[in-house]
Amino acid sequence: MQFTSTRGGDTATFSEAVIKGLAGDGGLFVPETMPDISTYSAHWRRLPYTELAYSFFSLFAGDIPDSELRYCVENAYNAFPNPETPATLIEMDDNLHVLELFHGPTLAFKDFALQLLGQLYGRHIRNTGHSINILGATSGDTGSAAIYGMLKQPGAHSFILYPEGRIAELQERQIACTGSDFVHPFAVYGSFDDAQSIVKQIFGDIKFSSAYSLTAVNSINIARILAQCVYYLDTALKLDASNNNPLEFIVPAGNFGNVLAGWMLNRMGIRGLRFCVATNVNAVVSNFFRTGEYCPGKVIPSYAPSMDIQQASNFERWLWWHFNGDSIRVRNVMTTLRRDNKFVLNEIPENNDIIRTTSCDDDGIKTQIERIWCEKGYIVDPHTACAFSAVRKNIRSVVVATAHPAKFPETIASVTGQYPKHPSLDTLKHRIIIKQTMPANVEAVKTAIAEILNEV
Ligand SMILES: *Cc1c(COP(=O)(O)O)cnc(C)c1O
């Protein structure tokens, strides 16, 4: 399978796309054609998670020998305490399930993609004999998930940018208390969007990024999106979704990578899947699907910090499919967006019930946490709470639970009186935080990277 840039100026095999991250023309890689996987459904329904993930990936990663692909997938999901069911489906009532994606090493759904990405990078390092270094921006959870995915890969340094003071304390500790000399937390004075924009600019400087063997871990990497497709597929098969028996996934959204992954299954022939894009007050993407206007502004801090994002990178992929692969139209939109910081799509993008939207402010988040605790005795984290706010009675729904509540104990305790705990987080509380703070400025970040890598 070939991958092509959303902007039409680059193509790559799967492994090339994984290592490049961003396409050479600044676009994002997408599969050139989508496989029809509906014919496999009957067989795939019976597979354990790892087998399903392997079978799914083998359709895209034809340039990786089977045995190596299998090794990567197995190692990725063996890092979960429950490798048989890393994605745990909980029945709340007849019409409502919760898909818990927070049982991985860093207690957020991002482990599903980043454990696998770490394995794919590890394979590259083994096969080429050259190490790589990862560079990423995080709104809270990507950073630690990326670090834990890379820790076992020999010689690879991780540079993780995050907005100083804007992520939860335990999220920061997961990034800054690893004790590893290969992990470099950079706390920048700015927002997540500033951090993400610095990372994009550094990758735009090909000379710099190749001199230091930098590679991206943000959800611009296509392997991350594909890894996320698997738990939607697993759930759709288990709950037998079809046109006559539809299923709606309600997905907490920020960079739009998680919803997009589920939505892509529609394009692969899986029937009966609908999606609700659940944002916090940073409602740029959900406003777009309602009005056709995409208008990113300033990030508003919220109780769900991993979704405090206004520039949703993966949106460009959705556009490419929406425009039926017309990369000229994608390029025009991206140019307009850069120039005007907004664009308007004349037709309302999804008027066919496949995507609906919701947004939830901080009061709403607290209300949901309290309500679910009182009604069901179940504790949800603030991100998942945004999704719960959108549950409807008249359709079978799956709330996608993206983070473990123990990552956000204060918000939860303030409404339920319960302090959710997790042993892996408790040990972090006694370690010292080691980080570098710096201005939100490309040159400052480049200088810091160069200093570290020139020393080793
Ligand atoms: C990253 C994250 C999200 C947002 O996911 P996107 O793929 O960026 O839309 C939601 N919830 C949690 C807990 C996250 O870490």
Side-chain angles (χ1 to χ4, degrees):
M1 164 89 59
Q2 279 290 116
F3 290 77
T4 178
S5 165
T6 47
R7 300 189 192 176
D10 198 2
T11 56
T13 65
F14 176 77
S15 352
E16 287 163 357
V18 168
I19 296 306
K20 276 187 167 178
L22 199 66
D25 59 358
L28 304 182
F29 283 115
V30 284
E32 211 161 55
T33 53
M34 281 295 210
D36 179 357
I37 61 176
S38 60
T39 49
Y40 305 114
S41 295
H43 172 56
W44 282 5
R45 200 184 306 274
R46 291 189 293 274
L47 296 180
Y49 193 90
T50 307
E51 281 296 311
L52 179 65
Y54 163 75
S55 306
F56 180 80
F57 264 92
S58 62
L59 301 178
F60 296 92
D63 64 331
I64 299 187
D66 286 348
S67 59
E68 291 183 40
L69 183 62
R70 189 175 278 281
Y71 176 88
C72 289
V73 172
E74 282 176 359
N75 277 324
Y77 298 108
N78 280 340
F80 283 62
N82 48 350
E84 306 275 295
T85 51
T88 311
L89 197 58
I90 310 272
E91 187 173 340
M92 301 295 269
D93 60 44
D94 284 352
N95 249 1
L96 179 63
H97 283 78
V98 176
L99 181 61
E100 293 184 348
L101 299 178
F102 53 67
H103 297 291
T106 69
L107 311 181
F109 83 93
K110 295 190 169 80
D111 288 324
F112 278 85
L114 285 161
Q115 281 297 322
L116 184 64
L117 193 60
Q119 292 296 330
L120 292 169
Y121 286 155
R123 168 182 177 267
H124 177 83
I125 296 171
R126 282 192 304 278
N127 288 359
T128 61
H130 293 294
S131 197
I132 50 179
N133 301 306
I134 63 164
L135 170 65
T138 182
S139 58
D141 293 321
T142 301
S144 52
I147 289 166
Y148 281 80
M150 289 307 283
L151 272 180
K152 287 165 264 167
Q153 311 312 331
H157 287 261
S158 301
F159 299 94
I160 301 296
L161 276 66
Y162 62 93
E164 164 70 9
R166 300 264 192 98
I167 67 175
E169 188 206 329
L170 288 171
Q171 289 180 316
E172 179 170 49
R173 287 187 170 276
Q174 285 183 309
I175 297 168
C177 300
T178 59
S180 163
D181 294 339
F182 289 92
V183 175
H184 312 286
F186 289 175
V188 300
Y189 295 109
S191 67
F192 168 73
D193 285 352
D194 296 331
Q196 180 160 260
S197 144
I198 292 172
V199 167
K200 281 192 185 157
Q201 288 175 64
I202 292 180
F203 283 114
D205 180 346
I206 310 271
K207 231 172 108 190
F208 184 89
S209 61
S210 51
Y212 292 105
S213 310
L214 295 175
T215 186
V217 288
N218 282 97
S219 52
I220 53 178
N221 200 301
I222 186 66
R224 282 189 59 183
I225 305 293
L226 292 173
Q228 292 169 182
C229 292
V230 179
Y231 46 74
Y232 289 101
L233 179 59
D234 184 47
T235 308
L237 295 176
K238 277 191 181 132
L239 296 183
D240 218 356
S242 67
N243 281 340
N244 295 331
N245 200 8
L247 191 61
E248 182 176 79
F249 288 96
I250 310 177
V251 191
N255 237 334
F256 199 59
N258 203 5
V259 194
L260 182 84
W263 178 85
M264 279 163 62
L265 293 178
N266 287 326
R267 299 259 158 170
M268 299 180 204
I270 299 295
R271 299 281 163 247
L273 302 188
R274 301 178 186 182
F275 296 90
C276 176
V277 183
T279 53
N280 61 20
V281 282
N282 296 282
V284 180
V285 178
S286 54
N287 288 343
F288 169 76
F289 282 104
R290 236 187 29 253
T291 64
E293 240 183 73
Y294 186 84
C295 209
K298 250 177 99 82
V299 172
I300 308 162
S302 81
Y303 290 142
S306 304
M307 292 156 41
D308 291 346
I309 294 170
Q310 295 261 332
Q311 309 269 2
S313 326
N314 275 291
F315 193 60
E316 183 168 341
R317 287 198 168 101
W318 179 87
L319 274 178
W320 186 82
W321 273 297
H322 182 71
F323 293 155
N324 293 316
D326 185 343
S327 50
I328 294 172
R329 279 185 83 186
V330 176
R331 268 207 308 268
N332 288 343
V333 169
M334 296 318 285
T335 307
T336 308
L337 195 55
R338 234 187 346 265
R339 194 189 55 217
D340 306 342
N341 212 22
K342 85 177 235 184
F343 81 90
V344 181
L345 203 67
N346 289 330
E347 74 269 40
I348 295 272
E350 291 275 345
N351 47 12
N352 50 9
D353 263 6
I354 299 230
I355 289 191
R356 72 179 176 105
T357 66
T358 186
S359 63
C360 187
D361 63 12
D362 277 356
D363 284 343
I365 288 176
K366 284 193 165 181
T367 308
Q368 292 302 323
I369 294 173
E370 185 178 20
R371 182 182 67 80
I372 298 148
W373 168 243
C374 292
E375 287 177 10
K376 313 262 182 205
Y378 184 77
I379 292 189
V380 297
D381 92 284
H383 305 79
T384 308
C386 294
F388 262 98
S389 76
V391 171
R392 295 182 298 183
K393 292 253 177 287
N394 59 349
I395 179 164
R396 284 200 307 158
S397 309
V398 178
V399 166
V400 175
T402 48
H404 195 290
K407 286 187 118 168
F408 310 93
E410 285 81 18
T411 311
I412 289 164
S414 71
V415 284
T416 64
Q418 306 290 315
Y419 274 91
K421 283 167 110 42
H422 193 281
S424 75
L425 296 175
D426 287 342
T427 56
L428 289 176
K429 289 178 192 153
H430 309 292
R431 301 221 192 122
I432 45 166
I433 291 181
I434 298 175
K435 64 177 176 182
Q436 269 181 267
T437 49
M438 59 190 71
N441 144 335
V442 184
E443 290 314 316
V445 175
K446 279 185 176 169
T447 308
I449 294 173
E451 268 173 15
I452 291 165
L453 292 180
N454 288 339
E455 252 175 43
V456 295

